[in-house]
């Protein structure tokens, strides 16, 4: 045990009971030792704690002392503090547990694993319900907004479009180019074995335009704009800015949600078109470099394989992705509770829920399109 | 009386912009020292420079007995109440007070809890220990900020506008708390304020700063300044009158 600047000794009182004598400097620096030694000593049920030898007592040690004494008393063992100097007495009175409730209570413990899992499951269901209710509200709001289009706040719209669309162009181009290239390389290796080189363009073209272009672009937009919207609206909620907006007679949905969803509905299909083009170009690069295929052959095959329905279904998907991302991100943001941590939680939740929904929507469309024969 | 803080030739500001210049004053142990001035006069800037959050443009801030204001590596020797309270919004009041104790002491969990509850009891908030800052009033947030500042028993406390924006009764209670802290905990308190009742109630010594003058325009005991200082700006401040427009 390390030497401490305080001392704790046991003595007997006049009527033969135990007296704990503290001396020296009682400070928070040695609070842990003081706490342990005093706890041990108190198990022997002393009648009094003598502070006559104490040269210095700081607030923290006074709080420790007061808390231990209160615990002892609530356990039915009376213990008196004696010999305190005038200053020490004042401090002890300040921290005296008789002035408040919670003194003798134990520190709260952290919840167990099972409880956490339960809480998370419960959260998931309640967030699904909240998003549905939000969509209902929004539909009602949309009807009202269509009747009075000018009630929608569009001054930010240009900036939003720039942030969600234009600023996202480089990363969308890069990722889609790489995805097109990787897809083409994987395909080319297989097709070459069977002498099917000329089908590479249709493989890449169809996969990109119908499926991967819209999906990859939407995933990128989720990470960029979805997260941004959720944290932005979340911070506004935490700072009471949303309440302020309501009090200023602005409906947060028309003011914040509509412009964002609208910006995404315009930006995401446009980004998808760019993504499709560069993805197909990524395939072309591989065809030319790996299969030594003339560019004209690739392009001819591409125009033969793709028709308008392929492009159209892809864009239809991307519009529905955009709406889903926008709604989920805004709802999660507006549902933020607590402080900075709450903002983090709703941002995570927005991204996770949106990614999940993208896959669900994709599956739904694929089913619908195949039923319709598109 | 032992000196705790010496400020000499201090200039504070942002980059090229000097907000206050030629600041010099001393604070003695156990004193409640007030820095007065109107809104935007540079009080917070001066305070942030004193506690080392902002570098001085020139001059020096010297703490005697408690070493230079190094941040991060050693336990903080100042308790600070920020103007906005600056409680961590996702944490309960108790968790806010526990943070410095967990970081800088070796107390076991139940002992740290006891100390933190003690601090909250001291400011009358033990019943709200498990509330989030957003669930209590502004005055309670200020008091919780004080409890957090007190957590490690620092020898000096810095308070930025502790009673600003509170109702007179709550403000008076806060002033009383500050007096009690100074009297019973024997700490030195440097506080920034523009609240008149606070100053007269609480402060032993004060300086008054002014943005237009770019420095200190008066110093002394607050009662003396109120009753005897002849400077028009000082009198306007203490009488709550607008300054006559000159330009
Ligand atoms: N971060 C900053 N950068 C530049 N100037 C600032 C900054 N913060 C405050 N100021 C300026 O410094 C002056 C003093 O501000 P402040 O110290 O907050 O005043 P007070 O606390 O007395 O109301 C103001 O004129 C303000 O414009
Ligand atoms: Mg200020």
């Amino acid at each position: 045990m390390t030497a401490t600047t305080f001392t704790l000794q046991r003595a007997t009182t006049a009527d033969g009971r135990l007296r704990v004598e503290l001396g020296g400097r009682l400070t928070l620096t040695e609070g842990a030792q003081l706490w342990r030694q005093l706890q041990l000593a108190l198990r022997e049920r002393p009648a009094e704690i003598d502070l006559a030898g104490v040269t210095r007592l700081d607030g923290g040690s006074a709080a420790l002392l007061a808390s231990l004494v209160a615990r002892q008393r609530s356990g039915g063992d009376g213990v008196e503090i004696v010999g305190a100097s005038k200053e020490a007495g004042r401090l002890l009175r300040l921290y005296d547990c008789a002035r408040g409730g919670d003194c003798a209570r134990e520190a709260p413990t952290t919840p167990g694993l099972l409880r956490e899992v339960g809480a998370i499951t419960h959260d998931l269901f309640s967030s699904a319900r909240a998003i549905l209710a939000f969509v209902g509200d929004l539909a009602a709001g949309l009807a009202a907004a269509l009747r009075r289009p000018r009630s929608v706040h569009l001054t930010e719209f240009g900036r939003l479009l720039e942030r969600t669309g234009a600023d996202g162009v480089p990363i969308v181009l890069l990722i889609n180019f790489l995805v097109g290239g990787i897809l083409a390389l994987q395909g080319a290796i297989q097709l070459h074995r069977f002498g099917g080189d000329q089908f590479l363009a249709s493989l890449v073209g169809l996969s990109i335009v119908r499926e991967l272009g819209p999906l990859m672009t939407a995933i990128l937009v989720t990470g960029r704009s979805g997260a941004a919207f959720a944290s932005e609206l979340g911070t506004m909620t935490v700072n009471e800015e949303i309440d302020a907006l309501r009090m200023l007679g602005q409906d947060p949905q028309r003011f914040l949600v509509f412009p964002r969803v609208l910006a995404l509905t315009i930006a995401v299909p446009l980004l998808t078109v760019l993504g499709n083009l560069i993805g197909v170009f990524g395939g072309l690069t591989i065809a030319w470099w790996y299969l030594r295929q003339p560019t004209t052959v690739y392009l001819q095959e591409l125009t033969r394989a793709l028709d308008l329905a392929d492009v159209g279904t892809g864009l239809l998907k991307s519009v529905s992705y955009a709406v889903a991302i926008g709604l989920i991100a805004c709802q999660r943001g507006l549902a933020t509770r607590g402080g900075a941590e709450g903002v983090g939680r709703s941002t995570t939740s927005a991204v996770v829920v949106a990614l999940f929904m993208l896959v669900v929507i994709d599956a739904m469309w694929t089913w619908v399109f195949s039923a319709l024969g598109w | 009386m032992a000196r705790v803080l010496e400020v000499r030739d201090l200039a504070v500001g942002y980059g090229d912009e000097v907000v206050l210049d030629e600041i010099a004053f001393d604070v003695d142990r156990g004193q409640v020292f007030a820095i007065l001035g109107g809104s935007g006069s540079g009080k917070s800037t001066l305070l942030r420079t004193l506690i080392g959050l902002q570098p001085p443009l020139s001059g020096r801030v010297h703490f005697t007995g408690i070493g230079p204001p190094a941040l991060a590596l050693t336990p903080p020797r100042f308790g600070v109440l920020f103007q906005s309270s600056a409680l961590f919004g996702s944490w309960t009041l108790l968790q806010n007070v526990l943070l410095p104790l967990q970081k800088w002491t070796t107390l076991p969990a139940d002992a740290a809890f006891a100390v933190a509850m003690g601090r909250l009891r001291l400011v009358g908030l033990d019943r709200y220990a498990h509330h989030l800052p957003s669930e209590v009033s502004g005055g309670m947030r200020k008091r919780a900020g004080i409890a957090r500042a007190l957590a490690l028993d620092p020898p000096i406390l810095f308070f930025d506008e502790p009673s600003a924006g509170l109702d007179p009764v709550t403000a008076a209670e806060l002033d009383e708390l500050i007096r009690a802290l100074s009297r019973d905990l024997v700490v030195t308190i440097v506080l920034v304020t523009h609240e008149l009742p606070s100053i007269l109630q609480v402060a032993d010594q004060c300086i008054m700063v002014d943005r237009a003058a770019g420095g200190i325009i008066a110093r002394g005991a607050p009662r003396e300044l109120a009753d005897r200082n002849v400077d028009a700006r000082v009198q306007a401040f203490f009488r709550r009158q607008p300054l006559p427009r000159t330009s």
Side-chain angles (χ1 to χ4, degrees), chain B residues 12-15 17 19-20 36-48 54 83 160-161 192 194 209 211:
Chain B
V12 302
Y14 302 89
E17 190 195 344
V19 174
L20 295 172
L36 315 181
S39 291
S41 56
K43 305 184 296 295
S44 294
T45 309
L46 175 55
L47 192 83
R48 291 171 57 82
Q54 207 171 307
Q83 191 164 359
D160 196 348
E161 312 253 7
V192 151
H194 62 231
V209 294
R211 183 76 215 266

Side-chain angles (χ1 to χ4, degrees), chain A residues 28 31-32 35-36 39 58-60 63-64 67 71 90-91 94-97 99-103 105-108 338-342, chain B residues 89-91 94 101 105-115 117-119 121-122 126-127 130 132 151-153 180 183-186:
Chain A
L28 210 48
W35 179 259
R36 273 187 224 107
Q39 248 179 344
D58 71 0
L64 288 176
S67 168
R71 247 195 240 182
R90 271 212 296 248
L91 261 185
L94 272 181
Y95 287 100
D96 188 2
C97 289
R99 300 200 309 133
D102 248 351
C103 223
R105 249 192 34 190
E106 299 288 330
E341 190 191 335
Chain B
S90 335
W91 294 359
L94 178 67
L101 292 167
T105 70
T106 53
L107 293 178
D110 50 352
F113 174 82
V115 174
M117 280 313 268
R119 308 300 192 197
R121 192 164 44 253
L122 184 69
D126 46 333
R127 284 172 205 291
H130 301 290
L132 290 175
L152 295 170
D153 283 305
R183 191 183 56 224
D184 295 340
L185 299 189
V186 208

Side-chain angles (χ1 to χ4, degrees), chain A residues 3-314:
Chain A
T4 54
T5 53
F6 71 87
T7 56
L8 187 148
Q9 273 153 1
R10 289 162 172 80
T12 34
T13 59
D15 51 351
R17 296 191 56 196
L18 178 64
R19 170 166 63 201
V20 175
E21 291 179 352
L22 286 169
R25 296 166 55 83
L26 302 187
T27 62
L28 210 48
T29 324
E30 293 171 348
Q33 290 93 320
L34 176 67
W35 179 259
R36 273 187 224 107
Q37 294 188 25
L38 207 55
Q39 248 179 344
L40 281 180
L42 282 172
R43 291 217 189 110
E44 301 161 34
R45 302 187 181 174
E48 45 191 49
I49 299 174
D50 189 352
L51 300 186
V54 172
T55 54
R56 172 158 160 63
L57 176 74
D58 71 0
S61 326
L64 288 176
L65 229 93
S67 168
L68 282 177
V69 167
R71 247 195 240 182
Q72 190 83 351
R73 286 184 185 150
S74 72
D77 292 316
V79 57
E80 294 302 321
I81 293 182
V82 297
S85 68
K86 209 172 82 198
E87 291 80 32
R90 271 212 296 248
L91 261 185
L92 286 166
R93 264 195 303 286
L94 272 181
Y95 287 100
D96 188 2
C97 289
R99 300 200 309 133
D102 248 351
C103 223
R105 249 192 34 190
E106 299 288 330
T109 50
T110 46
L113 181 65
L114 206 60
R115 255 186 85 167
E116 294 256 352
V117 172
I120 291 171
T121 316
H122 179 262
D123 280 358
L124 211 63
F125 277 105
S126 59
S127 67
R129 219 180 22 218
I131 291 172
L132 279 182
F134 182 76
V135 171
D137 275 0
L138 206 69
L142 187 64
L146 285 178
R147 258 179 279 125
R148 290 177 49 218
R150 275 203 270 153
S151 65
V152 176
H153 175 79
L154 286 179
T155 46
E156 284 186 307
F157 188 68
R159 199 174 52 82
L160 282 170
L161 206 56
E162 186 186 330
R163 262 175 47 198
T164 53
D167 294 352
V169 168
I171 186 72
V172 165
L173 289 183
L174 178 65
I175 297 291
N176 277 295
F177 177 79
L178 292 176
V179 167
I182 293 164
L183 185 69
L185 194 55
Q186 292 286 358
I189 294 169
Q190 302 301 324
L191 287 173
H192 193 63
R193 273 199 226 158
F194 305 109
D197 285 8
Q198 74 271 27
F199 298 117
L200 184 67
S202 58
L203 171 82
V204 172
L206 281 174
S207 316
I208 292 277
V209 169
R210 290 190 74 109
E211 191 65 41
L212 286 177
L215 194 61
M216 288 312 296
T217 307
I219 288 174
L220 289 173
V221 169
T222 303
R224 276 176 42 84
S225 308
F229 290 173
S231 55
E232 189 182 359
L233 298 198
T235 309
M236 291 182 74
T237 308
V238 170
N239 290 342
E240 297 184 306
E241 289 173 44
I242 301 291
D243 293 339
L245 213 54
R246 281 211 180 86
M247 289 300 105
L248 294 172
Q250 294 282 7
D251 175 21
Q253 289 192 338
R254 276 178 231 176
F255 197 85
L256 296 169
V257 179
F258 285 168
R260 281 172 175 71
V261 175
L262 200 60
L264 284 183
T265 345
I266 293 171
V268 175
L270 290 177
L271 286 174
T272 303
V273 169
L274 289 178
N276 286 346
L277 286 174
I278 195 96
V280 167
F281 177 72
L284 186 147
T285 313
I286 293 294
W288 170 80
W289 172 74
Y290 186 78
L291 295 179
R292 304 279 162 212
Q293 195 176 59
T295 312
T296 45
V297 174
Y298 183 91
L299 290 177
Q300 262 169 14
E301 174 64 18
L302 193 69
T303 43
R304 200 192 54 72
L306 285 183
D307 56 30
L308 215 55
D310 297 318
V311 180
T313 51

Side-chain angles (χ1 to χ4, degrees), chain B residues 76-247:
Chain B
R77 277 140 315 167
F78 320 133
V80 181
L81 168 69
F82 290 91
Q83 191 164 359
S84 62
S85 301
L87 298 174
F88 304 113
S90 335
W91 294 359
T92 62
L93 303 188
L94 178 67
Q95 287 167 327
N96 267 281
V97 182
L98 273 175
L99 177 73
L101 292 167
Q102 285 162 343
K103 167 97 173 110
W104 292 113
T105 70
T106 53
L107 293 178
D110 50 352
F113 174 82
V115 174
M117 280 313 268
R119 308 300 192 197
L120 285 172
R121 192 164 44 253
L122 184 69
V123 298
L125 284 179
D126 46 333
R127 284 172 205 291
Y128 297 90
H130 301 290
H131 284 59
L132 290 175
S134 57
E135 297 167 346
V136 299
S137 71
M140 287 154 90
R141 280 201 284 275
K142 285 271 163 77
R143 280 188 281 152
I146 292 180
R148 187 177 66 181
L150 283 171
L152 295 170
D153 283 305
I156 299 199
L157 293 166
F158 290 90
F159 294 161
D160 196 348
E161 312 253 7
S163 53
L166 304 178
D167 66 89
V169 177
T170 312
E173 282 168 8
L174 212 59
D175 291 341
E176 183 43 45
L177 176 65
I178 291 170
R179 270 255 75 107
L181 293 179
S182 154
R183 191 183 56 224
D184 295 340
L185 299 189
V186 208
V187 284
T188 310
I189 299 178
V190 176
L191 90 160
V192 151
T193 183
H194 62 231
E195 299 277 305
L196 268 184
S198 275
I199 301 157
L200 297 176
Q201 272 302 310
V202 170
D204 301 314
Q205 282 293 312
C206 65
I207 57 172
M208 188 163 172
V209 294
D210 185 76
R211 183 76 215 266
I216 296 178
I217 53 170
R219 63 175 78 233
R223 265 264 76 95
E224 272 173 43
L225 284 197
D227 296 341
R228 286 209 275 281
N229 195 289
V230 290
D231 190 312
R233 293 164 298 190
V234 177
Q235 282 312 311
F237 184 88
F238 278 100
R239 301 231 172 95
R240 303 191 138 207
Q241 284 165 348
L243 262 182
R245 293 208 173 269
T246 44
S247 59

